[in-house]
């Protein structure tokens, strides 16, 4: 359980992550917006990164270059992801 | 030349079934080693790996965990005639519609993916082979197993799964009615409880393909 409440967009992204990545027994309340999504923290893997990239494209029209260096920053935490969506969303 | 390993050819050494597990979802049968759960719990597989598995994948991983084949890193041979029939077709539909394909689905669509998930979950570091044999899966499994045993392996683990084929691909009698799966350990040594493979058949008379379900029923009653 996180101490920091999620913003509406962070909540929406948390739901997107849980549903798209078929996470079992995880709710949006379990995701701390500052915790790492990959490796430690939520424990996502490289396939999840690709899957998440696809979901961002589908839902927000954001196209990420798969070997762009700033992807690591965008995917670092739910908060970073929300910042990316706010800055680059086309729908 | 015909490859003929499933018959009782006397020139071949007998191979023994040491232990087995079966999965017949929805079946009313009861036997030690048999699971009938529609979607197996697979509690031994970490949730982050388990989440991508279909019921047949969960069954396979569970059975291999129960047989503890990772303990001695014995070779694992997986056979499946059609793999996971529905998901690859879903991906083809996506491609045909010009939609991107799910990387997670794609990663599990290769034939050796299910046992690969097991190997990650259990830290199994032995050899893994995945085969499809056009309906002759049992014969192919035994042929592969004999190879490993002849090379000096003390035991080999076999897993065999069957899925229903999507209706669009289905030619009358070629598809299973329901998914099923089987895992067993084989050895050249006859322990007191071991059973010779030559006393089992994987193909009902008049059937055109080997069927794990048929073999599970024999193992249950033998």
């Amino acid at each position: 359980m996180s101490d920091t409440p999620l913003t509406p967009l962070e909540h929406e992204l948390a739901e997107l992550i849980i549903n798209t990545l078929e996470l079992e027994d995880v709710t949006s309340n379990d995701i701390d917006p500052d915790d790492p999504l990959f490796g430690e923290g939520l424990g996502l893997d490289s396939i999840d990164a690709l899957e998440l990239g696809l979901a961002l494209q589908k839902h927000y029209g954001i196209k990420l270059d798969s070997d762009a260096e700033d992807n690591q920053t965008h995917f670092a935490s739910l908060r970073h992801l929300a910042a990316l969506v706010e800055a680059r969303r086309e729908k | 030349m015909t490859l003929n390993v499933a018959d009782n050819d006397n020139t071949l050494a007998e191979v023994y079934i040491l232990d087995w597990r079966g999965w017949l979802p929805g079946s009313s049968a009861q036997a030690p080693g048999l699971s009938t759960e529609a979607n197996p719990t697979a509690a031994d597989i970490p949730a982050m790996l388990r989440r991508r598995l279909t019921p047949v994948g969960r069954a396979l991983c569970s059975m291999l965990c129960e047989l503890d084949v990772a303990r001695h890193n014995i070779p694992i041979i997986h056979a499946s005639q059609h793999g996971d029939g529905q998901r690859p077709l879903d991906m083809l539909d996506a491609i045909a519609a010009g939609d991107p394909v799910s990387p997670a689905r794609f990663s599990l669509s290769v034939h050796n993916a299910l046992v690969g998930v097991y190997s990650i979950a259990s830290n199994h570091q032995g050899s893994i082979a995945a085969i499809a044999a056009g309906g002759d899966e049992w014969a192919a499994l035994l042929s592969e197993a004999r190879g490993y045993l002849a090379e000096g392996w003390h035991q080999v683990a076999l897993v065999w799964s069957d899925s229903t084929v999507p209706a669009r691909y289905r030619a009358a009698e070629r598809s299973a009615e329901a998914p099923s799966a089987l895992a067993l350990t084989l050895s050249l040594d006859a322990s007191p409880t071991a059973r010779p493979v030559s006393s089992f058949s994987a193909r009902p008379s008049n059937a055109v393909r080997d069927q794990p379900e048929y073999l599970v029923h024999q193992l249950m009653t033998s």
Side-chain angles (χ1 to χ4, degrees):
Chain A
M1 180 76 94
S2 153
D3 296 334
T4 329
L6 300 182
T7 67
L9 179 58
E10 284 167 358
H11 187 267
E12 182 181 310
L13 283 166
E15 293 293 331
L16 179 72
I17 287 172
I18 291 165
N19 294 329
T20 306
L21 308 181
E22 300 177 88
L23 300 183
E24 295 180 356
D25 307 324
V26 179
T27 70
S28 52
N29 287 331
D30 299 327
I31 304 180
D32 187 309
D34 292 311
D35 271 358
L37 295 172
F38 291 84
E40 297 303 307
L42 199 55
L44 304 181
D45 62 24
S46 57
I47 295 170
D48 292 316
L50 294 169
E51 197 73 41
L52 200 50
L54 197 62
L56 292 175
Q57 189 181 330
K58 249 192 225 167
H59 286 81
Y60 304 108
I62 297 171
K63 267 199 156 169
L64 293 172
D65 191 352
S66 64
D67 40 67
E69 278 179 22
D70 49 3
N71 284 351
Q72 270 195 343
T73 317
H74 298 322
F75 282 14
S77 66
L78 196 56
R79 185 148 294 166
H80 281 87
L81 204 57
L84 167 77
V85 171
E86 245 168 71
R88 307 234 325 243
R89 68 185 303 169
E90 288 178 5
K91 54 181 176 184
Chain B
M1 195 176 84
T2 313
L3 183 67
N4 199 357
V5 289
D7 64 14
N8 298 329
D9 187 336
N10 288 329
T11 61
L12 288 174
E14 185 58 272
V15 176
Y16 297 91
I17 298 171
L18 301 178
D19 203 356
W20 67 276
R21 293 292 183 277
W23 178 62
L24 303 177
S27 165
S28 58
Q30 287 186 335
L34 179 72
S35 159
T36 56
E37 284 180 288
N39 192 19
T41 320
D44 292 329
I45 304 293
M48 289 304 276
L49 286 169
R50 191 176 56 211
R51 64 195 161 116
R52 296 188 184 127
L53 296 173
T54 55
V56 69
R58 293 165 75 111
L60 281 191
C61 290
S62 285
M63 295 190 297
L64 287 169
C65 284
E66 287 185 21
L67 294 175
D68 198 14
V69 307
R71 192 151 62 101
H72 298 296
N73 285 322
I74 59 173
I76 304 172
I77 310 160
H78 175 209
S80 173
Q81 184 179 358
H82 300 293
D84 192 339
Q86 189 59 48
R87 282 190 170 180
L89 187 58
D90 290 344
M91 286 190 288
L92 289 175
D93 280 339
I95 293 168
D99 292 333
V101 170
S102 156
R105 292 287 168 91
F106 180 74
S107 78
L108 278 185
S109 69
V110 292
H111 211 53
N112 58 5
L114 295 183
V115 182
V117 169
Y118 166 75
S119 77
I120 296 169
S122 65
N123 196 27
H124 173 274
Q125 296 177 11
S127 164
I128 292 173
I131 51 183
D136 294 321
E137 273 65 33
W138 181 235
L141 279 170
L142 291 181
S143 172
E144 286 289 314
R146 284 181 185 282
Y148 283 109
L149 294 171
E151 279 192 345
W153 282 96
H154 177 60
Q155 274 186 41
V156 178
L158 306 186
V159 266
W160 182 15
S161 59
D162 209 6
S163 299
T164 54
V165 178
R168 264 185 281 170
Y169 282 155
R170 203 174 296 180
E173 73 276 278
R174 280 258 174 210
S175 172
E177 295 287 318
S180 61
L182 165 69
L184 40 83
T185 44
L186 288 187
S187 171
L188 291 171
D189 301 325
S191 69
T193 54
R195 286 167 284 183
V197 289
S198 61
S199 59
F200 298 99
S201 157
R203 185 176 299 197
S205 52
N206 302 325
V208 295
R209 57 194 292 275
D210 295 344
Q211 297 167 12
E213 184 182 358
Y214 185 67
L215 186 52
V216 169
H217 279 293
Q218 290 170 65
L219 287 163
M220 270 163 44
T221 51
S222 71

